Amino acid sequence: IDYMMSLTRHDVAVNCVAFSPDGLHLATAGDSGNIIIWSVPVHKRGNKNGRHFWSTLSSEKDLTVRIVSTHCEGVVDLSWSADSKRFSVGTIDSCLLIYEDKFYGVNACSPETHQKESEWQLVFRNSEHGSFVQGVAYDPLGVYIASMGGDRTVRVFPRKTPQKSKKKVGKPKRIKQRSIMVEDTSNSNNNNDKTSEKTMKQIKHKLFVDESNCESFFRRLNWTVDGAFLVTPAALWHEENGTKTTSSSGSPLFSTYLFARHRFDEPYRVLTGLDKPSVVVRPNPVLFALPPSVSKNHPPGSISPTGLPYRSIFAVLTLDSILIYDTHHAAPLSVIQGLHYSGLTDCCWSPDGMNLMVCSSDGYISMVNFNNGDLGE
């Protein structure tokens, strides 16, 4: 990895950077509340693909630069849509914002539009979160936008088509708490009938940790690359009476949740066993085959417990650990610890899915390399 140049327009901390999927734009944002979009100039894109242009940069002047003001205190996270025509951001003052290319829409196919630089306009603003919006994630299939905040909630917004509504985004599904049944001990001392049955009562528990237990400023949720699951960090799992997955002290477990697509009322799977809250989820961009044992015991085209004929792999970070999971197994495929002095803040997969870059607040970056076959086929 060779150093090329520094982009120096920001005058305060930068919290997030993200290339658009088409490789034409780089969005950077931070504590100033401004988003800077660095773009390949139109006349340099060639066949609508300018990815090669980034390797030739020598100066900021080689890029087209647009500054988008959010009019908010600061940006914590940013996520692009799969078509690179929109991006969403989460802010310090509890806002979820969605920006869209002004020239995307009815005139998108006209030759004149292709010759224009992108202009980003605000199309949606929501401030229902009661605290910082610490993570945002655009559904790779373009249907949902998910946000996660310090108020211990996740909100999943459905995107509406122009034919059905003038609004860009519909009413959100709020994921906050779940009801469980526990033994009611309030009347046990007054009940002398030894043959009486235990009485149960319903209580509600928060699904996510509070800020006192989550030392990180980020809660970077994400979708698996196929959009089949929404994976949420900073989870807190309370089990009902009679189960064996709670800790010995009876306290809830730090966990990570998988929510199946369209089904956000209850987690599809709970990944427990963490010493600290998870803070970042990043999906591997490549889909993997099911384990050989599944193919051996079932005919070709067999599916996993998820109902899918393949596995999605994703990385989960806590402050001091990297865990690699897939959608087929409940236990992690790999656990890596002790790489950094300070808390981990983010990670990113290489396009071939074989390398994972991890950064932390101590100023270091680690590269985790996987050999062919380490993660599967």
Side-chain angles (χ1 to χ4, degrees):
I1 298 178
D2 297 322
Y3 168 80
M4 293 177 60
M5 58 176 291
S6 297
L7 303 177
T8 58
R9 291 289 186 98
H10 289 279
D11 54 5
V12 291
V14 179
N15 295 327
C16 48
V17 297
F19 275 103
S20 61
D22 63 9
L24 299 181
H25 310 285
L26 173 65
T28 64
D31 288 353
S32 68
N34 292 329
I35 305 161
I36 301 181
I37 308 295
W38 316 79
S39 303
V40 177
V42 170
H43 66 281
K44 293 286 188 178
R45 294 181 184 181
N47 244 2
K48 303 180 187 177
N49 181 9
R51 296 184 182 185
H52 64 280
F53 182 76
W54 296 95
S55 64
T56 67
L57 289 177
S58 59
S59 169
E60 290 184 5
K61 296 179 181 179
D62 296 335
L63 295 166
T64 298
V65 181
R66 291 193 180 275
I67 299 177
V68 181
S69 177
T70 64
H71 302 289
C72 294
E73 294 182 10
V75 175
V76 181
D77 201 14
L78 184 148
S79 177
W80 286 93
S81 63
D83 60 8
S84 302
K85 301 304 182 183
R86 299 172 210 85
F87 60 85
S88 59
V89 298
T91 73
I92 292 174
D93 42 359
S94 311
C95 290
L96 168 68
L97 310 175
I98 299 176
Y99 290 85
E100 184 177 81
D101 187 348
K102 179 181 179 181
F103 300 112
Y104 177 72
V106 293
N107 297 320
C109 297
S110 67
E112 294 80 8
T113 298
H114 289 314
Q115 300 302 317
K116 293 182 178 179
E117 299 287 355
S118 299
E119 293 185 19
W120 305 97
Q121 60 182 357
L122 180 67
V123 295
F124 177 75
R125 183 186 186 98
N126 180 276
S127 56
E128 292 182 5
H129 276 286
S131 184
F132 312 128
V133 179
Q134 297 171 302
V136 292
Y138 232 112
D139 170 20
L141 302 184
V143 177
Y144 297 109
I145 304 101
S147 62
M148 188 172 192
D151 60 351
R152 307 175 72 178
T153 68
V154 168
R155 286 171 167 80
V156 184
F157 298 82
R159 182 170 171 266
K160 291 188 175 182
T161 58
Q163 292 79 6
K164 293 183 179 181
S165 173
K166 293 182 180 181
K167 295 183 178 180
K168 296 287 185 179
V169 178
K171 185 178 180 181
K173 168 66 179 179
R174 188 172 70 163
I175 305 172
K176 182 179 181 180
Q177 57 192 15
R178 67 187 288 263
S179 299
I180 65 173
M181 299 300 297
V182 299
E183 183 180 348
D184 186 359
T185 59
S186 58
N187 296 323
S188 59
N189 294 332
N190 299 327
N191 193 344
N192 296 323
D193 187 358
K194 297 182 180 181
T195 62
S196 63
E197 296 182 357
K198 294 181 179 179
T199 58
M200 307 295 289
K201 65 177 181 179
Q202 187 181 72
I203 61 173
K204 292 183 177 180
H205 278 300
K206 297 278 190 179
L207 283 172
F208 303 101
V209 301
D210 58 24
E211 292 184 351
S212 64
N213 286 314
C214 188
E215 299 175 22
S216 173
F217 190 64
F218 305 102
R219 303 187 187 209
R220 302 189 193 273
L221 76 173
N222 232 308
W223 301 83
T224 53
V225 68
D226 60 345
F229 296 96
L230 174 64
V231 189
T232 61
L236 201 60
W237 182 246
H238 296 78
E239 274 289 358
E240 300 186 31
N241 282 4
T243 62
K244 297 180 180 181
T245 55
T246 51
S247 64
S248 57
S249 64
S251 58
L253 299 172
F254 295 133
S255 308
T256 304
Y257 293 147
L258 271 73
F259 289 93
R261 186 176 187 82
H262 309 314
R263 301 178 182 179
F264 306 112
D265 291 321
E266 189 78 9
Y268 171 85
R269 179 174 292 166
V270 181
L271 305 174
T272 60
L274 304 178
D275 295 327
K276 296 181 180 180
S278 52
V279 293
V280 176
V281 175
R282 292 296 182 198
N284 190 302
V286 178
L287 295 174
F288 287 77
L290 295 175
S293 59
V294 177
S295 302
K296 183 178 180 180
N297 297 330
H298 300 279
S302 59
I303 59 176
S304 71
T306 64
L308 300 172
Y310 54 80
R311 297 178 294 134
S312 291
I313 288 178
F314 53 94
V316 174
L317 303 188
T318 68
L319 285 178
D320 59 6
S321 303
I322 306 163
L323 300 99
I324 310 298
Y325 290 96
D326 69 5
T327 51
H328 182 77
H329 301 92
L333 306 178
S334 177
V335 179
I336 306 162
Q337 295 177 311
L339 294 182
H340 291 253
Y341 293 107
S342 299
L344 305 180
T345 55
D346 207 354
C347 64
C348 180
W349 292 92
S350 60
D352 63 358
M354 300 303 293
N355 305 283
L356 183 68
M357 294 188 73
V358 184
C359 60
S360 66
S361 57
D362 58 12
Y364 285 89
I365 296 176
S366 293
M367 177 82 82
V368 182
N369 306 112
F370 295 93
N371 295 320
N372 289 330
D374 285 349
L375 299 175
E377 180 184 352

